[in-house]
Amino acid sequence: MHVTLRQLRVLLAVAETGSFSAAARAVGLSQPAVSQSIRAVEQALGVSLLQRSTRHVVLTQAGEQLVAPLRDALRALEDVLTKTQQAGERLKRVVQVAATPSLSGSLLPRCLADVSQQLPGVAVQLKEQAQEAALESVRQGTVDFALAVGDSGPCELQRTSLFKDRFVLVCRGDHPFARRDRVSIGHLGLERLIVLDAANGGRQGLDRVLLAHGVSVDVLQEVASASTAFEMVKERLGVALLPASCVPTFSMKQVRSVGLEPDVLRDVSLFSRRHETLSADARAVHDIILARAQGGTRGVSRPLTVLVPFPKRGPVDSYGRAFAKLLGARLGKDVVVTNTVGLGGAQGVHAVTRSRADGYTIGIAGNGATLFTPANGRQPLFDVFQDLTFLSGLVRVASVLVVGAHTAARDLAQLRALARLHPGRFVIGAAGTGSSRMLAEMLERQTGIKLTHKSYDGLAPALDDLAKGKLDMVFGEPVGVLTLVRAGKAFALLTTGDERCSLLSDVPSAVEVGLPDLATDGGYCLVAPPSLPASVLERLSGAIAEVLQSDELNQTFASLGVRPDFRSGPYYENFVRAEQSRWQAFLERD
């Protein structure tokens, strides 16, 4: 038996639409191709699944027995495939780095901070390992590269030297050595010495120098971390010989570091596989670490990042990318767009609150994150007024109520009649936690119908389900729903508010169909982390205002069925405060 996944999807589309032509539109095939797929399934199974004697196609008994479990199986499979794809996308931007403990605790935190600023879309996963284990991870390919000491590095790996790390003597402030600038290694013969163990790298070179000056290496006190060595020195248990990179740059109480005579060095290097090319992300991280270690932080020119809290190809992504392009030109620097998706749009805004307040990271926030989550009494991830700086409005957008072509409703009156006849049968999607969810509740209250709600992290996945017949209706931005409407896979019933949308001029407004209160104000605004310096805030706000007033952005937004929101940051913050109170009162009404 050979039945393809595509053929099963075609069968399900025919069963749900009751029509070969409607199924063809839903799956994007020609009607003959749909008929051919059905015949192939029937031949493979040896049974008739459809009756074609009537105008509408109906299932046979065998077809009904197959379609019910098939629907659930395909949905489960699509969920698995979607999660796998999302996980794969995340993995594509993860760089695996191994490092010996003494290096991961000193140099790497500064390097990782550089990476987070310069490559906000890339995550570095650090594996702290002993020297030999880190190098073995590179050999086995479980990490992209390793930060280790080069005096024992294998020749089959590619080595890039970062810097020469000098050993220093660490002693208490009241120790006689503390009065010197340098201490001869030959004077250490009677001292109780504390050193890092071999797992940290560099011990071979240190031991060679100690033996050459008559200092025994058999009675050394070995520890795994520099912090342990510092505490032992404070307790007068000896003096420590440590790499200078392990010594804090800020002043240390009770202890002091002193130079050694002669110098004892360890070569800190980056190790990668000799005959394999690093990915673009791994190479960028590699170069940032190299730049930091060699005394700079300019490894990659740092762009301004715009965080979009919804998926690529969705309406908000379109607004954000159009705005970011013009903002970059206005500021004369690179501006990148990063999609941080999750929690109905709140995850991306949360990422803004946790970014550095230096003007290099801003984000887009929708009504869900700023208005409706607090108004609903849900526990938010952040305080809108304490954890954000409102920069400006971005876009004002009306919503369009669309129903899937598989439903029988072609106007609001038909939808209301069908929904009253079958309470709870129709499923309405909520893209995020913002306007589309609130509009769904308002629609139920104002029309007296009962719907089943289903949540999505953005409009794009909701529309995918709408086209497949897995969702019955959704409120969405005009540009998002337009493709499905033009393809005949969805029908627009109304536009919220009192005006028609220019992209869907034949669709009546909510006022025209007798629902004058079916509207939400706002849309999307621009936010930054809290405590933004006044000079940075002034520069950003001025550039944003010029972009919003530009003819090019106005034309782009008009083509998307929306218009710029010129409200300034302080004005928008006051608007959010007032709207939170208004919607909280609305939700508390019976």
Side-chain angles (χ1 to χ4, degrees), residues 316-340:
V316 186
D317 185 61
S318 299
Y319 311 148
R321 292 182 186 277
F323 166 78
K325 177 183 176 182
L326 296 178
L327 181 64
R330 169 63 183 79
L331 294 174
K333 66 184 306 177
D334 291 336
V335 176
V336 298
V337 175
T338 299
N339 298 81
T340 304

Side-chain angles (χ1 to χ4, degrees), residues 173-406:
D174 55 5
H175 192 285
F177 288 157
R179 297 191 292 269
R180 306 185 190 182
D181 292 328
R182 297 177 72 83
V183 174
S184 171
I185 292 178
H187 293 170
L188 302 179
L190 298 180
E191 298 291 330
R192 291 170 295 178
L193 299 181
I194 305 164
V195 296
L196 296 179
D197 60 24
N200 286 275
R203 276 294 302 281
Q204 293 181 14
L206 177 62
D207 288 354
R208 283 195 299 267
V209 175
L210 290 174
L211 288 172
H213 287 78
V215 180
S216 174
V217 297
D218 296 329
V219 293
L220 300 178
Q221 185 74 266
E222 294 186 346
V223 296
S225 69
S227 60
T228 302
F230 290 133
E231 293 303 317
M232 294 178 71
V233 170
K234 289 178 183 179
E235 297 299 328
R236 304 180 187 276
L237 297 176
V239 296
L241 298 178
L242 301 174
S245 64
C246 296
V247 178
T249 55
F250 51 86
S251 62
M252 297 182 294
K253 294 182 179 180
Q254 295 183 285
V255 298
R256 184 186 170 203
S257 64
V258 181
L260 291 173
E261 180 67 43
D263 285 334
V264 183
L265 306 175
R266 66 173 188 170
D267 184 29
V268 178
S269 302
L270 288 172
F271 291 89
S272 58
R273 291 175 289 282
R274 184 176 294 276
H275 301 297
E276 294 186 25
T277 303
L278 293 174
S279 69
D281 287 337
R283 171 55 63 185
V285 173
H286 180 286
D287 291 347
I288 287 174
I289 294 175
L290 182 62
R292 163 63 74 174
Q294 294 179 348
T297 59
R298 296 182 301 165
V300 177
S301 178
R302 187 178 176 192
L304 185 149
T305 297
V306 177
L307 293 177
V308 175
F310 292 102
K312 293 180 180 179
R313 306 187 311 277
V316 186
D317 185 61
S318 299
Y319 311 148
R321 292 182 186 277
F323 166 78
K325 177 183 176 182
L326 296 178
L327 181 64
R330 169 63 183 79
L331 294 174
K333 66 184 306 177
D334 291 336
V335 176
V336 298
V337 175
T338 299
N339 298 81
T340 304
V341 182
L343 304 177
Q347 189 164 324
V349 183
H350 178 263
V352 175
T353 69
R354 296 302 186 265
S355 60
R356 186 172 296 183
D358 55 9
Y360 282 93
T361 302
I362 65 175
I364 297 175
N367 284 352
T370 59
L371 297 181
F372 299 132
T373 295
N376 271 290
R378 301 188 185 98
Q379 183 62 41
L381 293 172
F382 48 85
D383 186 301
V384 171
F385 305 112
Q386 297 295 324
D387 297 333
L388 289 172
T389 297
F390 286 89
L391 297 174
S392 170
L394 174 63
V395 60
R396 304 182 84 144
V397 53
S399 292
V400 181
L401 175 63
V402 293
V403 297
H406 61 279

Side-chain angles (χ1 to χ4, degrees), residues 1 39-49:
M1 180 189 303
R39 285 195 299 270
V41 175
E42 290 178 328
Q43 290 173 2
L45 299 177
V47 295
S48 176
L49 301 173

Side-chain angles (χ1 to χ4, degrees), residues 517-538:
D517 296 327
L518 188 63
T520 59
D521 192 12
Y524 301 95
C525 64
L526 294 167
V527 294
S531 303
L532 203 64
S535 59
V536 175
L537 177 59
E538 182 179 359

